[in-house]
Amino acid sequence: MATKLHHFAFLPILLPLLHLLTSSLTAVDAAKILGLFAHPSESHFAVMQSLMMELAKREHNVTVYSSHRLNERVENLKEVIIEPEFPFWKHLLEVTDSQTGGLQKLSQLAESSMQKSLAAVGATAVDYFLSNAAVQKLLRLPVKEFDYDLVIVDLFYTESLLAVGHFYNKPTVAIVSTNFESYMQHVLEQMVPAACSPNDYETYQPAMGYWQRLGAIRGCLSRRKQFVKSNWGAQEQLMRKHFAHFKGVNELNIATLQAELAILLLNSHVPLMTLRPLLANTIAAGGMHIRPPRELPWPIRRFLDESRAGVIYMNLGNEQHCGDIPKPLLHLLVNTLGKLKERVLWTCHDHTAMKDLPANFMVQHAVAQADILAHPHVRVFIMNGDLLSLQEGIVRHVPMIGVPIFRNEVRNMALAVRLGVGIQLNHDNLTEVSLKWALQALKEDSTYPLSIRQVGTAFRDRPLGAVETCMYWMDYVLRHQGGVQLKTLGIGMPSSQLHLFDLFMYYFAVALLIVGVLAGGFYGAIVFLKRRETEKMYSKLS
């Protein structure tokens, strides 16, 4: 017995040594990380903010160029604010001539027109970002003085930013914080034929007929061609303008830059993402912007705590100010929700402009939405169908009422309805009756709380959490020579090769040759037989 105890006496010494040994296998020395976030959307930046703060807290030296502030002080984090913020949605309304009709008119644009407009305004936003004096100073650094170890960019009509990693020979991580299918397909470049990997996975039917498959591949190729022309073309012009001092910029294209990506982080995950082929360096990490809930400011916490009847939380998106909501819809929301016994917490950018609201209303802007949804008194979430909001509602187990405007929002709410976590109301004919019905259904039907807990559990069920997954793969890139082991050589191949058109031309030529030989032989045989008959006929006459 004494001998056994003697052996165990070494455990206090061995365990720390074992821990040190195993942790050293994955440890990464403090790296210098550069974040370039040109897209001015506040919701997009919520994803970037979460990741950059986590990198800084893990003792990396982080520098962020953005038009939004991180709102937290960390010693090893430097912020370069691009001010004033680029008015993205204002420019989009001007480009599409939708100033009078606002978002409603904008949402009625054809898909192709919307993609062209987004590409044009996206390029203008990136041009504004790259023209900033602080960014220009960064881009003018000699290669030897550019001592960052990793470059991180927000990839949404901002592809020209990938040139920074290319010209300074640094590994680049791109983050896609949205799930626009027609945009994602080009970003991922899956090397799967379009008929097998269509843009719209949600409505894809495997047992399509011949003409349906033909229409699918024609539509996919048409969208890709337009995307390359409108978005990549504009981004390549920006490269030639802002990176003109680098050798070889005129020969560089976006396809090459995307092929050089170390990893691509997608803010999506099953069951909110329909399964599809993913390359090894394409990482699904949905919910990366959702952190553990933090304490709410006292006024908001008291407002929520004292609402024994429950709270309805409302956020209709960052695309427009609450004061710009069409007056009939604004009056409908205020009058209907103002009659309820529940309290209503409303997030608005222009919170100071909202006057004469009912007594059960409170308007705020600065508090993180995910922290509000984590409060136990929040029972219903009224929102616009934004992907980040959908993820936050599911993770916090708050059923949703969606009033979507744009196509991606409509798709997100259709997914929410399919999963049983929300109700979709039509934006054009929203009435007091339909809104009351939806609120009553979410409060009284027990299937919604049950379904959202099941979906939330499935969404979080993965080897590592969303942020931990991102941290692991960024460290992987830093540990292993920029993640070259993950890159697929076929990325960026021409569509003719991707869809085997050039190979099928060979088989078509062979088939044509065989048919030609057979036709020639058949024709020759007929001529020969006719000649024999003619000769026999003449021989009889003679």
Side-chain angles (χ1 to χ4, degrees), residues 352-416:
T352 56
M354 304 305 294
K355 307 290 185 182
D356 302 322
L357 292 174
N360 65 332
F361 267 69
M362 181 178 188
V363 182
Q364 74 87 35
H365 167 58
V367 179
Q369 178 171 277
D371 296 338
I372 294 172
L373 291 171
H375 194 281
H377 286 176
V378 178
R379 309 286 170 77
V380 177
F381 180 17
I382 300 177
M383 51 92 153
N384 63 333
D386 173 69
L387 175 66
L388 303 185
S389 294
L390 178 63
Q391 292 176 350
E392 290 173 359
I394 287 174
V395 170
R396 301 300 193 226
H397 300 160
V398 181
M400 289 153 277
I401 295 175
V403 190
I405 298 179
F406 297 107
R407 290 177 182 85
N408 66 299
E409 296 171 350
V410 172
R411 284 198 296 265
N412 291 336
M413 283 315 304
L415 173 63

Side-chain angles (χ1 to χ4, degrees), residues 7 45 103 158 187 212 227 239 302 306 358 371 381-382 392 399 406 413 447 449 453 464 475 522 542:
H7 289 313
F45 188 69
L103 296 185
T158 58
V187 174
Q212 289 175 304
F227 188 86
M239 279 197 311
R302 184 176 62 181
E306 294 176 354
D371 296 338
F381 180 17
I382 300 177
E392 290 173 359
F406 297 107
M413 283 315 304
T447 60
R453 286 184 179 278
L464 296 172
D475 286 347
F522 182 71
S542 60

Side-chain angles (χ1 to χ4, degrees), residues 123-193:
T124 305
V126 177
D127 187 31
Y128 175 83
F129 179 84
L130 292 175
S131 299
N132 180 269
V135 179
Q136 281 291 308
K137 182 179 179 181
L138 174 72
L139 299 183
R140 295 287 173 176
L141 284 176
V143 175
K144 292 183 178 179
E145 296 182 18
F146 191 91
D147 58 349
Y148 294 100
D149 303 301
L150 186 69
V151 180
I152 302 176
V153 301
D154 172 14
L155 200 59
F156 187 67
Y157 296 103
T158 58
E159 283 85 350
S160 56
L161 296 179
L162 300 176
V164 175
H166 172 85
F167 288 117
Y168 286 107
N169 194 27
K170 302 296 180 181
T172 302
V173 172
I175 304 170
V176 176
S177 57
T178 180
N179 64 342
F180 288 134
E181 298 298 334
S182 55
Y183 184 81
M184 287 278 293
Q185 194 67 21
H186 297 31
V187 174
L188 300 177
E189 196 67 23
Q190 294 298 328
M191 301 186 302
V192 178

Side-chain angles (χ1 to χ4, degrees), residues 293-484:
R294 291 167 294 185
E295 187 173 354
L296 295 169
W298 171 242
I300 293 177
R301 180 182 173 185
R302 184 176 62 181
F303 180 82
L304 299 176
D305 286 344
E306 294 176 354
S307 181
R308 301 303 177 187
V311 176
I312 296 170
Y313 173 66
M314 183 164 62
N315 184 355
L316 298 178
N318 300 316
E319 294 81 8
Q320 65 180 352
H321 289 166
C322 294
D324 296 332
I325 295 175
K327 291 297 185 289
L329 176 59
L330 184 61
H331 291 155
L332 169 69
L333 292 170
V334 172
N335 292 337
T336 303
L337 299 177
K339 299 174 184 176
L340 302 177
K341 58 183 179 180
E342 293 90 353
R343 290 186 174 182
V344 179
L345 181 60
W346 192 0
T347 289
C348 286
H349 279 284
D350 54 338
H351 59 286
T352 56
M354 304 305 294
K355 307 290 185 182
D356 302 322
L357 292 174
N360 65 332
F361 267 69
M362 181 178 188
V363 182
Q364 74 87 35
H365 167 58
V367 179
Q369 178 171 277
D371 296 338
I372 294 172
L373 291 171
H375 194 281
H377 286 176
V378 178
R379 309 286 170 77
V380 177
F381 180 17
I382 300 177
M383 51 92 153
N384 63 333
D386 173 69
L387 175 66
L388 303 185
S389 294
L390 178 63
Q391 292 176 350
E392 290 173 359
I394 287 174
V395 170
R396 301 300 193 226
H397 300 160
V398 181
M400 289 153 277
I401 295 175
V403 190
I405 298 179
F406 297 107
R407 290 177 182 85
N408 66 299
E409 296 171 350
V410 172
R411 284 198 296 265
N412 291 336
M413 283 315 304
L415 173 63
V417 172
R418 223 165 33 242
L419 294 172
V421 302
I423 294 173
Q424 177 180 336
L425 297 179
N426 194 320
H427 188 277
D428 295 329
N429 60 0
L430 182 66
T431 64
E432 183 175 350
V433 173
S434 63
L435 181 56
K436 283 184 175 179
W437 165 81
L439 289 168
Q440 198 72 13
L442 292 187
K443 286 188 288 185
E444 295 183 355
D445 191 341
S446 60
T447 60
Y448 287 102
L450 180 62
S451 295
I452 203 167
R453 286 184 179 278
Q454 292 173 340
V455 173
T457 300
F459 184 68
R460 296 192 305 270
D461 190 1
R462 48 188 110 166
L464 296 172
V467 173
E468 286 292 334
T469 297
C470 296
M471 295 299 110
Y472 170 81
W473 286 107
M474 289 183 190
D475 286 347
Y476 184 95
V477 170
L478 291 169
R479 287 196 303 267
H480 300 292
Q481 302 173 337
V484 293

Side-chain angles (χ1 to χ4, degrees), residues 484-534:
V484 293
Q485 302 87 346
L486 301 174
K487 296 179 183 178
T488 303
L489 297 178
I491 291 182
M493 67 171 58
S495 293
S496 60
Q497 295 180 25
L498 176 67
H499 301 291
L500 309 181
F501 294 154
D502 52 347
L503 300 185
F504 282 126
M505 287 299 295
Y506 168 78
Y507 288 114
F508 178 75
V510 171
L512 193 63
L513 178 62
I514 293 173
V515 171
V517 170
L518 292 175
F522 182 71
Y523 177 77
I526 292 175
V527 171
F528 176 76
L529 292 174
K530 284 185 176 181
R531 185 175 297 174
R532 286 290 300 273
E533 289 179 4
T534 304

